[in-house]
C-alpha cells in the first residue's frame, strides 16, 4: 500500500513528467503544422525543435520523463486492487500503454539512427519513407494522435476541479482540436510536396544519400533492437499484470479483511483496500461525489463494529470529518483502509452505483461552483407533531413541502433536500452567484408568506401560527448529483452549506425569520443600511462570518432593482 504523502509526491512527479511530454508533443505537432507552409518551413522548424530537445538537458528531460512516466504508470497499474474503472479512465490507461508500442521504432529509426550512424533524420527522409510505406505514415499519425489525446485527457483530469477551468475549457478544447488538425494538414501538404519531388529522376537517391541513409546491416540491427525493445515492454506490462494478480491472490488467501454492510452482506477483500474500494469491488452502491478524493464526505460510513482496531484517520480525513461535526464512529469510506474485519453503515443512501457516481463526476461532481445556499426549518414543529396522528403529519408535511418547493422554484432555485421539516435549496447553479443570492432572498420572502398561508389553512390544528427560520449564505461548494438511478437530485457539499445551516440555527437565538451572510447580501446588492450587523464564530473556521439579521423580509430592498 502506498502511503498518502508518498502517493502525493508520486502524483506530483507523474504530473511534472507528463507536462514535459505534453510540451514535447505540442512542439512536435506545431512542427508538423509548418508543413502547411511547405517542406522547407517544416525543416526549418525541425532545426529549432532539435535545438530544444536534442541538447543534453532537453534529451535528458524528454527520455527521463518518458521512462519515469511509464514506470509510474506500470506502478499505478500494479497498485490497482481491481481493474474496474470508469470508461474514460480505462481509455486513458490503454492509450498510455499503446504509446510505447508505436513510439519505439520511431525513436530508434530517427534519434538513435542519427546518434549511432550519423543519419540525418530530416522530414524529407521520413517523408520519402512514408511515401513508399503508407502504413508507416498511418502508424506515425496514429502515434501522435494517441499521444496527444492521452496528454489532453490527463490535463483534463488534472485541471477539472480548478475553479477557472469550466470557463477556460472551451478555449482549451479548441486548442486541443486545432493543433492536431493543423499538424495532420501540414503532414499531408508535405507529403504532397514529396509526391512531386520523388517523380524527378534521381531525386530520391540523392536525398537519401544526403541523409546518410542506412545500409542493409545497420537497418537490420536497428530493426532487431526495435523488436527487442517491444518484447521487453510487453514483458514489463505482462509481469506487472502477473505480479498484481499474484499479489491479489496472496492477499485474498492470507491477508484479507471482511467488510459487513447493512443487511448482513459480508465482502472479503484484500487488506489495503479502502472501504469505498471494497464497495466498488463488490458492486455495492456507495455515493462518492468527489471520486474518492476525501473532499466531499458523501462516502462517509458509520463504523458499528471493529472501530477500536482501525488505523486512526489521517490529519486530512480528520479535518474533513471535523468540518461536518461527524461523531467519532464516522469515517470517510474512501480514506479508511481497514486492518481488521469491520461492519459499516453508509450514512448517505445507497443506490448510486459506483460507476454512476464516477460518470456523474464528468458532468457535475467535483465542480466547485460559487452558489447561494438556503436552509429553512419550521420552529417548534416537533411539539406540534407530537400531538398529531402520523397520517395528519404526513398530510401536513406534504402540503408544507409542496408550498416550499413552489416558492423556491418560482424564485429560480432548486429545492433539493427535505429532512424532517427542514428544507435546503440551491440558487445560482446556472445563473451565477449574484442572481442566485437575489433569488434566494426572494425565495425566503415567498417561503415565509407560504408558511403564513399554511398557518391560516391549518389554524384549527395549530396552537399558534407556524414560524420559520431561514439562513442564506453564498460561497464555493462542490455541486453534484446524488440519489438513486430513478431519483437523482442536485445537491451541494462543503463549508458554504454548513455555514448556511448554522445561520438558520441562529435565527432562533436572534428571534428573527431570516439571517443572511454579508457575502450573500453583497452579491444580491441588498440594501443593508437598516439591518443589524453581527459577526459570528463558526466552528472550524478561523475567521468570523459577518451576518445581517432580517426581521421583516417584506422590507428588503435591492440596489439596481
Ligand atoms: S468520496 Fe470520500 S470524501 Fe468524497
Amino acid at each position: 500500500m502506498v502511503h498518502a504523502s508518498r502517493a502525493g509526491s508520486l502524483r506530483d512527479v507523474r504530473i511534472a513528467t507528463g507536462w514535459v511530454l505534453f510540451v514535447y508533443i505540442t512542439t512536435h505537432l506545431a512542427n508538423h503544422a509548418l508543413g502547411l507552409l511547405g517542406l522547407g518551413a517544416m525543416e526549418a522548424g525541425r532545426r529549432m525543435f532539435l535545438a530544444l530537445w536534442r541538447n543534453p538537458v532537453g534529451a535528458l528531460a524528454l527520455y527521463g520523463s518518458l521512462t519515469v512516466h511509464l514506470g509510474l504508470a506500470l506502478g499505478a497499474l500494479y497498485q490497482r486492487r481491481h481493474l474496474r474503472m470508469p470508461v474514460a479512465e480505462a481509455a486513458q490507461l490503454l492509450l498510455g500503454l499503446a504509446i510505447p508500442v508505436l513510439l519505439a521504432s520511431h525513436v530508434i529509426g530517427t534519434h538513435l539512427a542519427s546518434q549511432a550512424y550519423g543519419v540525418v533524420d530530416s522530414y524529407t527522409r521520413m517523408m520519402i519513407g512514408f511515401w513508399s510505406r503508407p502504413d508507416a505514415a498511418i502508424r506515425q499519425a496514429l502515434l501522435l494522435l494517441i499521444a496527444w489525446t492521452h496528454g489532453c485527457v490527463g490535463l483534463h483530469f488534472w485541471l477539472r476541479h480548478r475553479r477557472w477551468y469550466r470557463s477556460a475549457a472551451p478555449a482549451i478544447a479548441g486548442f486541443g482540436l486545432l493543433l492536431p488538425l493543423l499538424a495532420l494538414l501540414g503532414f499531408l501538404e508535405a507529403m504532397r510536396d514529396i509526391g512531386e519531388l520523388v517523380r524527378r529522376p534521381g531525386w530520391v537517391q540523392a536525398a537519401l544519400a544526403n541523409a546518410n541513409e542506412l545500409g542493409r546491416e545497420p537497418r537490420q540491427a536497428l530493426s532487431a533492437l526495435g523488436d527487442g525493445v517491444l518484447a521487453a515492454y510487453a514483458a514489463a506490462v505482462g509481469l506487472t499484470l502477473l505480479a498484481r494478480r499474484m499479489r491479489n491472490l496472496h492477499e485474498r488467501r492470507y491477508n484479507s479483511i471482511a467488510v459487513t454492510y447493512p443487511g448482513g452482506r459480508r465482502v472479503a477483500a484484500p487488506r489495503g483496500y479502502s472501504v469505498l474500494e471494497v464497495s466498488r469491488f463488490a458492486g455495492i452502491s456507495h455515493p462518492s461525489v468527489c471520486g474518492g478524493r476525501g473532499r466531499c464526505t458523501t462516502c462517509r460510513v458509520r463504523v458499528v463494529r471493529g472501530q477500536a482496531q482501525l488505523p486512526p484517520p489521517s490529519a486530512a480525513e480528520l479535518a474533513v470529518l471535523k468540518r461536518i461535526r461527524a461523531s467519532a464512529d464516522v469515517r470517510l469510506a474512501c480514506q479508511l483502509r481497514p486492518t481488521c474485519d469491520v461492519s459499516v453503515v453508509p450514512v448517505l443512501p445507497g443506490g448510486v452505483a459506483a460507476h454512476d457516481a464516477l460518470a456523474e463526476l464528468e458532468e457535475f461532481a467535483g465542480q466547485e461552483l460559487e452558489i447561494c445556499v438556503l436552509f429553512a426549518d419550521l420552529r417548534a414543529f416537533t411539539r406540534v407533531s407530537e400531538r398529531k396522528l402520523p397520517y395528519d403529519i404526513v398530510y401536513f408535511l406534504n402540503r408544507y413541502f409542496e408550498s416550499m418547493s413552489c416558492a423556491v422554484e418560482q424564485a429560480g432555485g432548486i429545492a433539493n433536500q427535505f429532512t424532517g421539516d427542514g428544507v435546503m435549496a440551491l440558487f445560482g447553479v446556472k445563473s451565477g452567484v449574484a442572481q442566485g443570492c437575489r433569488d434566494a432572498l426572494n425565495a425566503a420572502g415567498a417561503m415565509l408568506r407560504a408558511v403564513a398561508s399554511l398557518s391560516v389553512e391549518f389554524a384549527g390544528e395549530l396552537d399558534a401560527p407556524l414560524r420559520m427560520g431561514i439562513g442564506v449564505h453564498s460561497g464555493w461548494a462542490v455541486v453534484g448529483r446524488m440519489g438513486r438511478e430513478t431519483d437523482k437530485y442536485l445537491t451541494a457539499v462543503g463549508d458554504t452549506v454548513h455555514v448556511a445551516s448554522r445561520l438558520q440555527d441562529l435565527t432562533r437565538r436572534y428571534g428573527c425569520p431570516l439571517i443572511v451572510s454579508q457575502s450573500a447580501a453583497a452579491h444580491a446588492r441588498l440594501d443593508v443600511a437598516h439591518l443589524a450587523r453581527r459577526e459570528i464564530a463558526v466552528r472550524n473556521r478561523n475567521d468570523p462570518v459577518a451576518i445581517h439579521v432580517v426581521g421583516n423580509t417584506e422590507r428588503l430592498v435591492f440596489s439596481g432593482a
Side-chain angles (χ1 to χ4, degrees), residues 389-407:
L389 288 174
Y391 178 84
D392 296 332
I393 298 298
V394 170
Y395 176 75
F396 171 80
L397 283 177
N398 277 336
R399 282 284 297 116
Y400 164 69
F401 287 141
E402 187 187 318
S403 303
M404 294 305 108
S405 298
C406 196

PDB file of all heavy atoms in Angstrom, residues 389-407:
ATOM      1  N   LEU A 389     -51.670  12.664  14.785  1.00  0.00           N
ATOM      2  CA  LEU A 389     -51.542  11.306  14.275  1.00  0.00           C
ATOM      3  C   LEU A 389     -50.544  11.320  13.125  1.00  0.00           C
ATOM      4  O   LEU A 389     -50.449  12.317  12.396  1.00  0.00           O
ATOM      5  CB  LEU A 389     -52.899  10.804  13.759  1.00  0.00           C
ATOM      6  CG  LEU A 389     -53.938  10.492  14.829  1.00  0.00           C
ATOM      7  CD1 LEU A 389     -55.267  10.150  14.169  1.00  0.00           C
ATOM      8  CD2 LEU A 389     -53.465   9.339  15.702  1.00  0.00           C
ATOM      9  N   PRO A 390     -49.810  10.225  12.925  1.00  0.00           N
ATOM     10  CA  PRO A 390     -48.835  10.199  11.830  1.00  0.00           C
ATOM     11  C   PRO A 390     -49.458  10.578  10.485  1.00  0.00           C
ATOM     12  O   PRO A 390     -48.849  11.273   9.685  1.00  0.00           O
ATOM     13  CB  PRO A 390     -48.363   8.732  11.823  1.00  0.00           C
ATOM     14  CG  PRO A 390     -48.582   8.278  13.224  1.00  0.00           C
ATOM     15  CD  PRO A 390     -49.778   9.020  13.731  1.00  0.00           C
ATOM     16  N   TYR A 391     -50.688  10.120  10.260  1.00  0.00           N
ATOM     17  CA  TYR A 391     -51.323  10.420   8.979  1.00  0.00           C
ATOM     18  C   TYR A 391     -51.448  11.926   8.787  1.00  0.00           C
ATOM     19  O   TYR A 391     -51.181  12.466   7.707  1.00  0.00           O
ATOM     20  CB  TYR A 391     -52.698   9.753   8.925  1.00  0.00           C
ATOM     21  CG  TYR A 391     -53.445  10.056   7.656  1.00  0.00           C
ATOM     22  CD1 TYR A 391     -53.206   9.312   6.500  1.00  0.00           C
ATOM     23  CD2 TYR A 391     -54.358  11.092   7.609  1.00  0.00           C
ATOM     24  CE1 TYR A 391     -53.868   9.605   5.321  1.00  0.00           C
ATOM     25  CE2 TYR A 391     -55.029  11.397   6.439  1.00  0.00           C
ATOM     26  CZ  TYR A 391     -54.784  10.651   5.299  1.00  0.00           C
ATOM     27  OH  TYR A 391     -55.431  10.948   4.141  1.00  0.00           O
ATOM     28  N   ASP A 392     -51.853  12.638   9.863  1.00  0.00           N
ATOM     29  CA  ASP A 392     -52.011  14.095   9.778  1.00  0.00           C
ATOM     30  C   ASP A 392     -50.672  14.770   9.499  1.00  0.00           C
ATOM     31  O   ASP A 392     -50.590  15.730   8.746  1.00  0.00           O
ATOM     32  CB  ASP A 392     -52.573  14.652  11.100  1.00  0.00           C
ATOM     33  CG  ASP A 392     -53.968  14.121  11.372  1.00  0.00           C
ATOM     34  OD1 ASP A 392     -54.663  13.813  10.381  1.00  0.00           O
ATOM     35  OD2 ASP A 392     -54.342  14.009  12.555  1.00  0.00           O
ATOM     36  N   ILE A 393     -49.652  14.240  10.150  1.00  0.00           N
ATOM     37  CA  ILE A 393     -48.315  14.824   9.967  1.00  0.00           C
ATOM     38  C   ILE A 393     -47.878  14.681   8.517  1.00  0.00           C
ATOM     39  O   ILE A 393     -47.364  15.622   7.903  1.00  0.00           O
ATOM     40  CB  ILE A 393     -47.285  14.118  10.898  1.00  0.00           C
ATOM     41  CG1 ILE A 393     -47.668  14.324  12.351  1.00  0.00           C
ATOM     42  CG2 ILE A 393     -45.880  14.639  10.638  1.00  0.00           C
ATOM     43  CD1 ILE A 393     -47.667  15.759  12.791  1.00  0.00           C
ATOM     44  N   VAL A 394     -48.084  13.473   7.987  1.00  0.00           N
ATOM     45  CA  VAL A 394     -47.687  13.235   6.598  1.00  0.00           C
ATOM     46  C   VAL A 394     -48.446  14.181   5.675  1.00  0.00           C
ATOM     47  O   VAL A 394     -47.871  14.801   4.772  1.00  0.00           O
ATOM     48  CB  VAL A 394     -47.942  11.761   6.195  1.00  0.00           C
ATOM     49  CG1 VAL A 394     -47.770  11.571   4.692  1.00  0.00           C
ATOM     50  CG2 VAL A 394     -46.983  10.861   6.954  1.00  0.00           C
ATOM     51  N   TYR A 395     -49.733  14.337   5.938  1.00  0.00           N
ATOM     52  CA  TYR A 395     -50.541  15.223   5.097  1.00  0.00           C
ATOM     53  C   TYR A 395     -50.008  16.658   5.192  1.00  0.00           C
ATOM     54  O   TYR A 395     -49.802  17.329   4.187  1.00  0.00           O
ATOM     55  CB  TYR A 395     -52.012  15.169   5.534  1.00  0.00           C
ATOM     56  CG  TYR A 395     -52.866  16.135   4.760  1.00  0.00           C
ATOM     57  CD1 TYR A 395     -53.225  15.859   3.438  1.00  0.00           C
ATOM     58  CD2 TYR A 395     -53.272  17.339   5.327  1.00  0.00           C
ATOM     59  CE1 TYR A 395     -53.981  16.755   2.705  1.00  0.00           C
ATOM     60  CE2 TYR A 395     -54.017  18.248   4.598  1.00  0.00           C
ATOM     61  CZ  TYR A 395     -54.373  17.951   3.294  1.00  0.00           C
ATOM     62  OH  TYR A 395     -55.092  18.850   2.571  1.00  0.00           O
ATOM     63  N   PHE A 396     -49.766  17.087   6.428  1.00  0.00           N
ATOM     64  CA  PHE A 396     -49.292  18.460   6.613  1.00  0.00           C
ATOM     65  C   PHE A 396     -47.932  18.661   5.938  1.00  0.00           C
ATOM     66  O   PHE A 396     -47.713  19.645   5.227  1.00  0.00           O
ATOM     67  CB  PHE A 396     -49.191  18.791   8.109  1.00  0.00           C
ATOM     68  CG  PHE A 396     -48.499  20.102   8.330  1.00  0.00           C
ATOM     69  CD1 PHE A 396     -49.195  21.302   8.175  1.00  0.00           C
ATOM     70  CD2 PHE A 396     -47.145  20.157   8.632  1.00  0.00           C
ATOM     71  CE1 PHE A 396     -48.549  22.522   8.325  1.00  0.00           C
ATOM     72  CE2 PHE A 396     -46.498  21.369   8.784  1.00  0.00           C
ATOM     73  CZ  PHE A 396     -47.202  22.557   8.634  1.00  0.00           C
ATOM     74  N   LEU A 397     -47.023  17.700   6.174  1.00  0.00           N
ATOM     75  CA  LEU A 397     -45.679  17.880   5.615  1.00  0.00           C
ATOM     76  C   LEU A 397     -45.720  17.902   4.096  1.00  0.00           C
ATOM     77  O   LEU A 397     -44.963  18.638   3.453  1.00  0.00           O
ATOM     78  CB  LEU A 397     -44.741  16.772   6.114  1.00  0.00           C
ATOM     79  CG  LEU A 397     -44.251  16.948   7.549  1.00  0.00           C
ATOM     80  CD1 LEU A 397     -43.382  15.770   7.980  1.00  0.00           C
ATOM     81  CD2 LEU A 397     -43.467  18.255   7.723  1.00  0.00           C
ATOM     82  N   ASN A 398     -46.592  17.080   3.516  1.00  0.00           N
ATOM     83  CA  ASN A 398     -46.706  17.102   2.056  1.00  0.00           C
ATOM     84  C   ASN A 398     -47.160  18.482   1.569  1.00  0.00           C
ATOM     85  O   ASN A 398     -46.632  19.008   0.591  1.00  0.00           O
ATOM     86  CB  ASN A 398     -47.681  16.025   1.562  1.00  0.00           C
ATOM     87  CG  ASN A 398     -46.968  14.683   1.467  1.00  0.00           C
ATOM     88  OD1 ASN A 398     -45.758  14.628   1.334  1.00  0.00           O
ATOM     89  ND2 ASN A 398     -47.724  13.613   1.574  1.00  0.00           N
ATOM     90  N   ARG A 399     -48.100  19.061   2.267  1.00  0.00           N
ATOM     91  CA  ARG A 399     -48.567  20.403   1.888  1.00  0.00           C
ATOM     92  C   ARG A 399     -47.440  21.428   2.080  1.00  0.00           C
ATOM     93  O   ARG A 399     -47.234  22.306   1.255  1.00  0.00           O
ATOM     94  CB  ARG A 399     -49.776  20.814   2.767  1.00  0.00           C
ATOM     95  CG  ARG A 399     -51.072  20.194   2.387  1.00  0.00           C
ATOM     96  CD  ARG A 399     -51.682  20.844   1.127  1.00  0.00           C
ATOM     97  NE  ARG A 399     -52.007  22.253   1.305  1.00  0.00           N
ATOM     98  CZ  ARG A 399     -51.423  23.247   0.628  1.00  0.00           C
ATOM     99  NH1 ARG A 399     -50.491  22.967  -0.250  1.00  0.00           N
ATOM    100  NH2 ARG A 399     -51.758  24.492   0.841  1.00  0.00           N
ATOM    101  N   TYR A 400     -46.758  21.267   3.195  1.00  0.00           N
ATOM    102  CA  TYR A 400     -45.667  22.190   3.521  1.00  0.00           C
ATOM    103  C   TYR A 400     -44.553  22.115   2.461  1.00  0.00           C
ATOM    104  O   TYR A 400     -44.127  23.124   1.898  1.00  0.00           O
ATOM    105  CB  TYR A 400     -45.139  21.860   4.920  1.00  0.00           C
ATOM    106  CG  TYR A 400     -43.800  22.453   5.270  1.00  0.00           C
ATOM    107  CD1 TYR A 400     -43.648  23.823   5.467  1.00  0.00           C
ATOM    108  CD2 TYR A 400     -42.675  21.627   5.422  1.00  0.00           C
ATOM    109  CE1 TYR A 400     -42.420  24.361   5.788  1.00  0.00           C
ATOM    110  CE2 TYR A 400     -41.450  22.157   5.746  1.00  0.00           C
ATOM    111  CZ  TYR A 400     -41.308  23.524   5.927  1.00  0.00           C
ATOM    112  OH  TYR A 400     -40.087  24.046   6.244  1.00  0.00           O
ATOM    113  N   PHE A 401     -44.101  20.891   2.152  1.00  0.00           N
ATOM    114  CA  PHE A 401     -43.017  20.738   1.183  1.00  0.00           C
ATOM    115  C   PHE A 401     -43.444  21.201  -0.209  1.00  0.00           C
ATOM    116  O   PHE A 401     -42.654  21.769  -0.963  1.00  0.00           O
ATOM    117  CB  PHE A 401     -42.539  19.279   1.143  1.00  0.00           C
ATOM    118  CG  PHE A 401     -41.750  18.887   2.366  1.00  0.00           C
ATOM    119  CD1 PHE A 401     -41.903  17.634   2.940  1.00  0.00           C
ATOM    120  CD2 PHE A 401     -40.853  19.771   2.940  1.00  0.00           C
ATOM    121  CE1 PHE A 401     -41.184  17.279   4.071  1.00  0.00           C
ATOM    122  CE2 PHE A 401     -40.124  19.419   4.071  1.00  0.00           C
ATOM    123  CZ  PHE A 401     -40.289  18.168   4.639  1.00  0.00           C
ATOM    124  N   GLU A 402     -44.696  20.964  -0.509  1.00  0.00           N
ATOM    125  CA  GLU A 402     -45.211  21.409  -1.807  1.00  0.00           C
ATOM    126  C   GLU A 402     -45.114  22.944  -1.888  1.00  0.00           C
ATOM    127  O   GLU A 402     -44.650  23.506  -2.883  1.00  0.00           O
ATOM    128  CB  GLU A 402     -46.667  20.951  -1.912  1.00  0.00           C
ATOM    129  CG  GLU A 402     -47.329  21.182  -3.245  1.00  0.00           C
ATOM    130  CD  GLU A 402     -48.821  20.840  -3.129  1.00  0.00           C
ATOM    131  OE1 GLU A 402     -49.165  19.814  -2.500  1.00  0.00           O
ATOM    132  OE2 GLU A 402     -49.623  21.621  -3.639  1.00  0.00           O
ATOM    133  N   SER A 403     -45.541  23.614  -0.809  1.00  0.00           N
ATOM    134  CA  SER A 403     -45.501  25.085  -0.792  1.00  0.00           C
ATOM    135  C   SER A 403     -44.063  25.580  -0.871  1.00  0.00           C
ATOM    136  O   SER A 403     -43.754  26.540  -1.580  1.00  0.00           O
ATOM    137  CB  SER A 403     -46.117  25.631   0.498  1.00  0.00           C
ATOM    138  OG  SER A 403     -47.417  25.174   0.638  1.00  0.00           O
ATOM    139  N   MET A 404     -43.170  24.917  -0.127  1.00  0.00           N
ATOM    140  CA  MET A 404     -41.776  25.371  -0.102  1.00  0.00           C
ATOM    141  C   MET A 404     -41.115  25.163  -1.470  1.00  0.00           C
ATOM    142  O   MET A 404     -40.398  26.028  -1.977  1.00  0.00           O
ATOM    143  CB  MET A 404     -40.980  24.615   0.976  1.00  0.00           C
ATOM    144  CG  MET A 404     -41.414  24.891   2.407  1.00  0.00           C
ATOM    145  SD  MET A 404     -41.406  26.647   2.815  1.00  0.00           S
ATOM    146  CE  MET A 404     -43.142  26.998   2.877  1.00  0.00           C
ATOM    147  N   SER A 405     -41.370  23.983  -2.069  1.00  0.00           N
ATOM    148  CA  SER A 405     -40.783  23.708  -3.391  1.00  0.00           C
ATOM    149  C   SER A 405     -41.247  24.758  -4.375  1.00  0.00           C
ATOM    150  O   SER A 405     -40.478  25.259  -5.197  1.00  0.00           O
ATOM    151  CB  SER A 405     -41.232  22.338  -3.919  1.00  0.00           C
ATOM    152  OG  SER A 405     -40.793  21.358  -3.064  1.00  0.00           O
ATOM    153  N   CYS A 406     -42.554  25.057  -4.287  1.00  0.00           N
ATOM    154  CA  CYS A 406     -43.132  26.015  -5.210  1.00  0.00           C
ATOM    155  C   CYS A 406     -42.464  27.385  -5.038  1.00  0.00           C
ATOM    156  O   CYS A 406     -42.051  28.027  -6.015  1.00  0.00           O
ATOM    157  CB  CYS A 406     -44.622  26.081  -4.894  1.00  0.00           C
ATOM    158  SG  CYS A 406     -45.530  26.838  -6.159  1.00  0.00           S
ATOM    159  N   ALA A 407     -42.293  27.811  -3.771  1.00  0.00           N
ATOM    160  CA  ALA A 407     -41.681  29.116  -3.507  1.00  0.00           C
ATOM    161  C   ALA A 407     -40.243  29.160  -4.017  1.00  0.00           C
ATOM    162  O   ALA A 407     -39.815  30.139  -4.635  1.00  0.00           O
ATOM    163  CB  ALA A 407     -41.722  29.403  -1.998  1.00  0.00           C
TER     164      ALA A 407
END
